[in-house]
Amino acid sequence: MIVGGAQENTLLSCEGSMRRHGAEVLLVTGPALGPEGSLLERARAGGVPLEIVPELRRSIRPRLDWQSYWKIKRSLREFRADVVHTHSAKGGILGRAAASKLGVSAIVHTVHGAPFHSYQNALAREFSRRCECWAARRCHALVSVSDAMTDLMVENHIAPREKFTTIYSGLEVEPLRAADSKRDAVRAELSYSSEHFVIGKIARLFDLKGHEFLVRAAPAIVAAWPNARFLLIGDGTLRKQVECQVAGVGLTDRFTFLGLAAPERIPELIAAMDVVVHASLREGLARAVVQALLVGRPVVSYDVDGAREVVIDGETGYLVPPKSIDELAQAVSRLAADPALRAQMGSAGQRRFADPFRQERMVDELHRLYERLLAR
């Protein structure tokens, strides 16, 4: 339960199931280790019952994974779960294995992003793919956070298409739509003047999140727009590396590394931006992209996975080829040159995506899926 999109989805699902549907919920998770922050306190404050499995870690560790499996299985047996819903690769495999062994009536897994991808070596990719095939046979339904994830999983023979349902990852929409009222105050707090053009990126400083591409595009953006500033939200293992890359292009004074931000601060921080860049190389459907659109900010995104389902090229932002530098800089510069276009795209994003991404809609769609499975 670090600070991240899949984790926020999980937490909102638990809270919504309790409040909207009167369900008994137990959230089983590993410890929130690492520099990315923790959502465990938010879960406790929201009254979500928690069970921490200390051995459950993100990396593959056979001895700890075996211990985690037995502890998860014991928790599910004692809780007498009617539905087990798993998230993420490790939790998804161990949770589905334990629930299947216990004969749980409805087992569901959400695909936030495929654990196999083209940036792995061939052996690791095939191992991950086969693990997903094995786990998919041990659940009754798969939820994708984007249609692109369903297509990817079907093309890789994880499960038949009829086993998948797309349910967009829910958000607390109203704080995002109201965030513009805090724009001036937050910009002043961050030492931005009204003349500054602020380019934001919200992502863990981690492999494949694409910070290096934004840094490489920055000199061309600054050359065209000397008032450009870059606001990076998030922390992670690559922070020092990215800071060195920024220093290497001589733009340390143009970049602000804000570090971790509490989820409730994200709307007002996006409001302080003029455009949001999503340069990740793989992501089921980035939560930050949808958040930006709901605040009313256009997005420049690499055309990966589910991005094109919300970044409608020329309407709510621009899609550019993955790893591109010149195209990324040009798209940002087009938006810098045209405040009216930015406002038009931001409004289009708000109108188009507020209802599909409400947390209440996600929770209700999940419960309809649970009920269908239980009725069988």
Side-chain angles (χ1 to χ4, degrees):
M1 291 298 289
I2 60 168
V3 176
Q7 293 79 2
E8 290 180 27
N9 171 302
T10 303
L11 183 53
L12 290 176
S13 298
C14 290
E15 291 176 345
S17 293
M18 294 166 62
R19 294 170 187 167
R20 291 180 66 81
H21 296 274
E24 286 187 71
V25 170
L26 176 66
L27 175 54
V28 182
T29 178
L33 303 175
E36 299 94 343
S38 170
L39 291 173
L40 289 175
E41 289 310 311
R42 157 76 190 261
R44 293 185 180 103
V48 177
L50 283 168
E51 183 154 333
I52 309 295
V53 178
E55 295 82 2
L56 183 56
R57 310 295 174 88
R58 279 181 279 176
S59 59
I60 295 175
R61 302 173 73 171
R63 183 179 64 83
L64 293 181
D65 295 342
W66 184 245
Q67 292 172 349
S68 298
Y69 165 77
W70 284 104
K71 289 189 176 183
I72 292 169
K73 187 176 177 183
R74 184 184 64 197
S75 295
L76 299 180
R77 182 189 296 114
E78 292 175 354
F79 188 63
R80 298 172 63 104
D82 298 298
V83 177
V84 169
H85 190 156
T86 64
H87 300 260
S88 81
K90 175 70 74 68
I93 289 170
L94 296 178
R96 280 179 282 178
S100 176
K101 195 71 174 177
L102 292 170
V104 172
S105 300
I107 306 171
V108 179
H109 176 69
T110 289
V111 182
H112 296 274
F116 51 88
H117 52 86
S118 57
Y119 301 102
Q120 294 168 303
N121 65 55
L123 185 62
R125 175 181 169 84
E126 182 59 16
F127 174 75
S128 296
R129 192 193 70 81
R130 292 192 180 206
C131 286
E132 280 301 306
C133 289
W134 181 88
R137 293 194 295 270
R138 284 156 178 81
C139 67
H140 303 105
L142 291 152
V143 172
S144 297
V145 297
S146 66
D147 293 335
M149 283 296 95
T150 295
D151 293 341
L152 178 63
M153 300 296 271
V154 171
E155 288 164 7
N156 282 275
H157 310 290
I158 303 302
R161 189 172 293 274
E162 56 269 21
K163 200 165 187 173
F164 289 87
T165 301
T166 296
I167 300 177
Y168 285 134
S169 191
L171 295 159
E172 295 171 297
V173 167
E174 296 313 320
L176 292 160
R177 297 183 73 183
D180 248 343
S181 64
K182 300 180 180 178
R183 173 179 169 85
D184 292 342
V186 177
R187 283 174 73 97
E189 173 192 333
L190 297 170
S191 300
Y192 296 136
S193 72
S194 58
E195 289 79 25
H196 286 134
F197 177 71
V198 181
I199 301 141
K201 179 168 172 56
I202 307 167
R204 290 183 295 140
L205 290 152
F206 202 69
D207 291 327
L208 304 180
K209 292 296 184 180
H211 292 85
E212 69 270 28
F213 303 114
L214 178 59
V215 174
R216 289 169 60 190
I221 296 170
V222 171
W225 303 97
N227 62 341
R229 298 293 185 270
F230 300 84
L231 177 59
L232 305 186
I233 299 172
D235 209 339
T237 55
L238 297 185
R239 176 161 181 164
K240 288 189 181 299
Q241 180 178 316
V242 177
E243 288 176 337
C244 287
Q245 291 168 347
V246 170
V249 296
L251 293 177
T252 298
D253 61 330
R254 306 299 182 100
F255 275 77
T256 298
F257 287 79
L258 197 62
L260 291 174
E264 57 270 21
R265 279 215 76 194
I266 294 299
E268 63 187 49
L269 290 169
I270 295 174
M273 303 170 186
D274 295 292
V275 60
V276 173
V277 168
H278 176 60
S280 294
L281 297 179
R282 56 180 293 264
E283 201 111 29
L285 179 52
R287 200 172 187 82
V289 169
V290 183
Q291 290 172 321
L293 294 172
L294 293 179
V295 172
R297 297 296 176 267
V299 176
V300 177
S301 174
Y302 282 160
D303 190 3
V304 297
D305 298 330
R308 61 173 50 209
E309 294 174 35
V310 291
V311 182
I312 314 303
D313 197 42
E315 182 180 336
T316 62
Y318 292 114
L319 290 170
V320 296
K323 294 188 177 182
S324 64
I325 305 301
D326 292 342
E327 292 92 334
L328 178 62
Q330 290 163 10
V332 171
S333 292
R334 280 200 296 275
L335 290 168
D338 196 338
L341 178 61
R342 297 200 300 269
Q344 176 185 323
M345 287 183 167
S347 296
Q350 278 189 323
R351 288 194 308 271
R352 187 161 184 159
F353 297 115
D355 287 336
F357 284 91
R358 289 185 186 278
Q359 61 167 327
E360 296 86 356
R361 180 166 176 166
M362 173 189 73
V363 170
D364 292 349
E365 289 183 358
L366 287 174
H367 271 263
R368 283 194 287 271
L369 174 61
Y370 300 158
E371 289 162 2
R372 287 199 302 273
L373 295 175
L374 292 171
R376 292 177 187 176

